[in-house]
């Protein structure tokens, strides 16, 4: 579930939406005379396109070699590319804050600079070197590929909406072909997993010469952060998990929660649109706006407009709920479709139109399918789709549909990482109450699994991403205080919506 800020529709295409307590065969790290690990990276210029040309060039980049297979640490190596926005206050610097924007498959090299540009408090920037990265297989870190091309009927990381059992069976054929293609195209795919990415985080920590590392992860990044805190509790410093999938890995049940998330978040858009009926004409009440959604979806199921069918319309609406700033654009799209006009270009195009993001999709599938066994029987998905079409009619029949994981040939090679509740109390779980892709239940689940190690901050807000990216002062203040001072709330707590005026 990549949380790419300010680009809700592309975020949905990449949305998921992520053994033992120690790494297997991790090479020893040289130590300084005082017992601290020695830094092993050489910082230099970042790859072209990483730095935002509108911002000062403050990022530095480096590579860290890690084993392709941690069971064979002396074997083949791959490179991880990392970035650093260094603290400028040595008196305040605490250490490093590893960052992950989500996915799996999302690039994170630009995230330090992005978070700083979005208002990351100076107290955090002074306390840490912000460390971004392309996780294994992604972008500038020895990329992998399933070889997706523009003429394939495979669309993103969320299955298409299934109108009936036949649609699930049709998608099963596509999913099987994708799984077979991935298996034949890249022999490194079996080594992409959340467990290995957590081991990579520990390798990065060691290469940076740090005894411990803090972590801030969004969306799938919460699965990676939970795995890191579980596998390496003695080396995990302050952990913040924002917009949670509910575990260290994504399962079919986790995907099905997308349907729940849309049901819980859509009323915010419906109220917004109803208050602006005079401008957009989508319905005078939230109930009328909801009815308009189904009218448009069913009309497009029967008669697509310029390649936009009901499934893509549902996906676009789901994606618009990531951020309230997308509401106006989506209302305009609905208005155009109601008027019978051509839909604006911002709505996701038909699958064969643009070049698909082969690398991001390949990493998403590899990690998701390698982490845990998925149901293999098509009937299981047909029953789930039928159930969720009734239970979560807005989007349940998409989230419950079959994925290539049902036919995956490479994994899993080890059990999924179990959440470790035996360790320091150092996990802050931050969760918007209305989130289309990682609903509140995900935050509750991971908090329950960590037990006394964690505190849950439930935020009365809408959208995907609370800390820095949201507009709730309580969530900002509580999280900043933890990162800077190490002060966790005494108990799980709720951050109320700020009052206007």
């Amino acid at each position: 579930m990549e949380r790419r800020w300010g680009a809700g529709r592309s975020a949905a295409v990449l949305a998921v939406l992520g053994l033992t307590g120690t790494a297997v065969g991790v090479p020893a790290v040289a130590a300084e005379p005082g017992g601290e690990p020695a830094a092993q990276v050489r910082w230099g210029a970042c790859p072209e396109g990483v730095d935002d040309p509108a911002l000062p060039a403050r990022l530095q980049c480096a590579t860290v070699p890690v084993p392709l297979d941690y069971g064979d640490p002396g074997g083949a190596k791959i490179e991880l590319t990392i970035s650093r926005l260094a603290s400028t206050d040595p008196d305040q610097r605490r250490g490093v804050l590893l960052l992950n924007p989500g996915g799996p498959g999302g690039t994170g090299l630009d995230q330090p600079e992005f978070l700083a540009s979005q208002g990351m408090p100076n107290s955090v920037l002074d306390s840490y070197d912000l460390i971004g990265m392309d996780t294994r297989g992604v972008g500038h870190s020895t990329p992998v590929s399933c070889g997706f091309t523009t003429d394939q009927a495979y669309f993103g990381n969320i299955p298409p909406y299934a109108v009936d059992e036949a649609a699930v069976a049709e998608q099963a054929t596509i999913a099987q072909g994708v799984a077979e293609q991935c298996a034949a195209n890249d022999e490194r795919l079996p080594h992409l997993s959340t467990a290995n990415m957590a081991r990579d985080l520990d390798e990065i920590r060691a290469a940076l010469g740090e005894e411990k590392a803090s972590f801030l992860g969004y969306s799938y990044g919460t699965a990676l952060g939970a795995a890191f805190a579980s596998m390496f509790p003695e080396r995990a410093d302050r952990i913040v998990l924002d917009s949670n999938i509910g575990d260290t890995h994504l399962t079919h049940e986790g995907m099905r929660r997308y349907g729940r998330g849309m049901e819980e978040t859509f009323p915010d858009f419906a109220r917004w649109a109803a208050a602006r009926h005079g401008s957009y004409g989508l319905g005078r009440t939230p109930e009328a706006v909801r009815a308009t959604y189904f009218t448009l979806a069913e009309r497009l199921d029967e008669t697509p407009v310029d390649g936009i069918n009901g499934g893509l319309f549902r996906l676009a609406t789901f994606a618009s709920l990531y951020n309230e700033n997308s509401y106006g654009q989506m209302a305009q799209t609905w208005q155009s479709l109601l008027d019978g006009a051509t839909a604006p270009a911002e709505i996701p195009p038909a699958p064969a139109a643009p070049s698909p993001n082969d690398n991001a999709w390949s990493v998403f599938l590899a990690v998701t399918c390698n982490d845990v066994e998925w149901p293999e029987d098509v009937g299981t998905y047909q029953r789930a789709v039928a159930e969720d079409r009734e239970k979560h009619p807005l989007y349940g029949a998409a989230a419950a549909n079959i994925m290539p994981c049902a036919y995956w040939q490479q994994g899993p090679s080890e059990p999924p990482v179990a959440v470790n509740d035996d360790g320091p109390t150092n996990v802050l779980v931050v969760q918007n109450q209305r989130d289309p892709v990682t609903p509140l239940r995900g935050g509750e689940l991971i908090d329950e699994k960590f037990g006394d190690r964690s505190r849950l901050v439930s935020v009365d807000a809408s959208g995907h991403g609370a800390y820095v990216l949201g507009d709730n002062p309580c969530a900002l203040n509580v999280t900043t205080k933890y990162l800077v001072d190490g002060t966790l709330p005494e108990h799980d707590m709720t951050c109320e919506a700020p009052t206007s005026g």
Side-chain angles (χ1 to χ4, degrees):
M1 277 159 285
E2 181 189 17
R3 181 59 171 100
R4 299 306 297 160
W5 326 121
R9 288 166 180 79
S10 60
V13 175
L14 296 175
V16 314
L17 274 173
L19 195 64
T20 63
T22 57
V24 176
V26 177
V29 178
E32 299 285 8
E36 297 296 319
Q40 299 176 359
V41 301
R42 294 183 179 180
W43 296 105
C46 289
E48 184 177 357
V50 173
D51 284 300
D52 187 338
L55 299 172
R58 297 183 293 169
L59 281 181
Q60 298 172 299
C61 287
T63 58
V64 177
V66 299
L68 174 64
D69 181 356
Y70 277 94
D72 181 19
K77 296 291 193 292
I78 58 174
E79 285 194 340
L80 305 177
T81 301
I82 64 175
S83 62
R84 177 178 71 169
L85 182 61
S87 165
T88 58
D89 190 339
D91 294 332
Q92 297 296 320
R93 183 186 181 278
R94 175 180 178 79
V96 295
L97 180 63
L98 308 179
L99 305 173
N100 187 275
T107 180
L109 287 178
D110 62 345
Q111 198 181 20
E113 196 171 64
F114 173 80
L115 289 176
S117 73
Q118 294 300 298
M120 174 75 83
N122 285 337
S123 56
V124 178
L125 299 177
D126 290 340
S127 297
Y128 299 96
D129 294 346
L130 300 191
I131 305 296
M133 67 194 72
D134 281 356
T135 51
R136 66 169 47 209
V138 174
H140 296 284
S141 293
T142 312
V144 298
S145 170
C146 284
F148 294 124
T149 60
T150 57
D151 59 352
Q152 289 182 285
Y154 177 70
F155 190 68
N157 300 334
I158 304 175
Y161 187 92
V163 296
D164 52 26
E165 286 191 353
V168 179
E170 180 181 355
Q171 182 61 21
T173 300
I174 295 172
Q176 183 174 7
V178 168
E180 292 171 351
Q181 176 178 331
C182 290
N185 202 68
D186 198 323
E187 62 184 10
R188 296 166 298 184
L189 290 176
H191 301 287
L192 269 65
S193 67
T194 299
N196 279 342
M197 288 181 176
R199 295 176 179 120
D200 291 344
L201 293 183
D202 195 55
E203 291 285 279
I204 292 170
R205 172 205 60 77
L208 293 173
E210 299 289 336
E211 183 179 6
K212 294 185 176 184
S214 295
F215 181 90
L216 168 61
Y218 297 86
S219 199
Y220 166 77
T222 64
L224 180 56
F228 177 63
S230 295
M231 296 172 68
F232 306 100
E234 76 283 1
R235 298 200 280 275
D237 192 12
R238 296 171 183 172
I239 307 297
V240 177
L241 309 179
D242 187 330
S243 306
N244 294 263
I245 71 171
D247 212 323
T248 64
H249 52 279
L250 183 65
T251 64
H252 185 224
E253 286 304 309
M255 279 291 294
R256 291 177 71 178
R257 282 197 289 273
Y258 288 19
R260 174 175 178 167
M262 185 166 181
E263 293 289 342
E264 293 175 351
T265 310
F266 184 83
D268 288 349
F269 170 73
R271 284 189 292 271
W272 181 95
R276 294 161 178 80
H277 174 76
S279 294
Y280 297 110
L282 305 183
R284 297 183 183 279
T285 65
E287 294 75 16
V289 173
R290 183 180 175 92
T292 299
Y293 171 85
F294 289 112
T295 296
L296 284 171
E298 292 164 7
R299 180 189 301 173
L300 291 167
D301 283 336
E302 296 180 0
T303 308
V305 175
D306 291 339
I308 307 304
N309 59 25
L312 292 179
F313 168 76
R314 293 177 177 95
L315 170 63
T317 302
F318 171 80
S320 75
L321 302 179
Y322 272 57
N323 191 311
E324 292 179 346
N325 292 332
S326 300
Y327 286 2
Q329 192 175 70
M330 182 49 54
Q332 182 189 59
T333 298
W334 283 33
Q335 188 177 34
S336 297
L337 292 170
L338 280 173
D339 293 342
T342 300
E346 289 80 4
I347 197 168
S355 295
N357 193 331
D358 170 53
N359 177 238
W361 292 359
S362 300
V363 174
F364 171 85
L365 286 176
V367 175
T368 302
C369 303
N370 286 338
D371 273 355
V372 66
E373 293 281 2
W374 284 62
E376 299 178 3
D377 175 48
V378 176
T380 298
Y381 296 93
Q382 289 174 324
R383 290 188 293 273
V385 164
E387 179 181 336
D388 287 3
R389 187 185 297 113
E390 296 298 321
K391 189 175 182 180
H392 305 307
L394 290 169
Y395 206 51
N401 201 358
I402 193 166
M403 291 177 57
C405 295
Y407 302 97
W408 202 250
Q409 301 176 21
Q410 294 102 326
S413 60
E414 60 181 305
V417 178
V419 175
N420 182 0
D421 62 0
D422 184 14
T425 302
N426 64 341
V427 180
L428 184 66
V429 179
V430 185
Q431 182 66 54
N432 282 340
Q433 293 177 2
R434 298 174 302 285
D435 183 322
V437 64
T438 56
L440 176 61
R441 184 58 184 150
E444 294 171 342
L445 284 170
I446 199 67
D447 182 53
E448 291 168 6
K449 291 168 184 173
F450 271 116
D452 291 339
R453 289 193 65 187
S454 67
R455 300 289 184 270
L456 171 64
V457 179
S458 171
V459 185
D460 185 2
S462 186
H464 193 48
Y467 182 57
V468 177
L469 310 170
D471 193 30
N472 186 286
C474 166
L476 179 71
N477 294 337
V478 169
T479 308
T480 297
K481 188 173 183 62
Y482 173 55
L483 286 173
V484 175
D485 299 333
T487 304
L488 277 173
E490 292 186 7
H491 308 284
D492 293 351
M493 61 174 290
T494 296
C495 281
E496 303 292 347
T499 56
S500 58

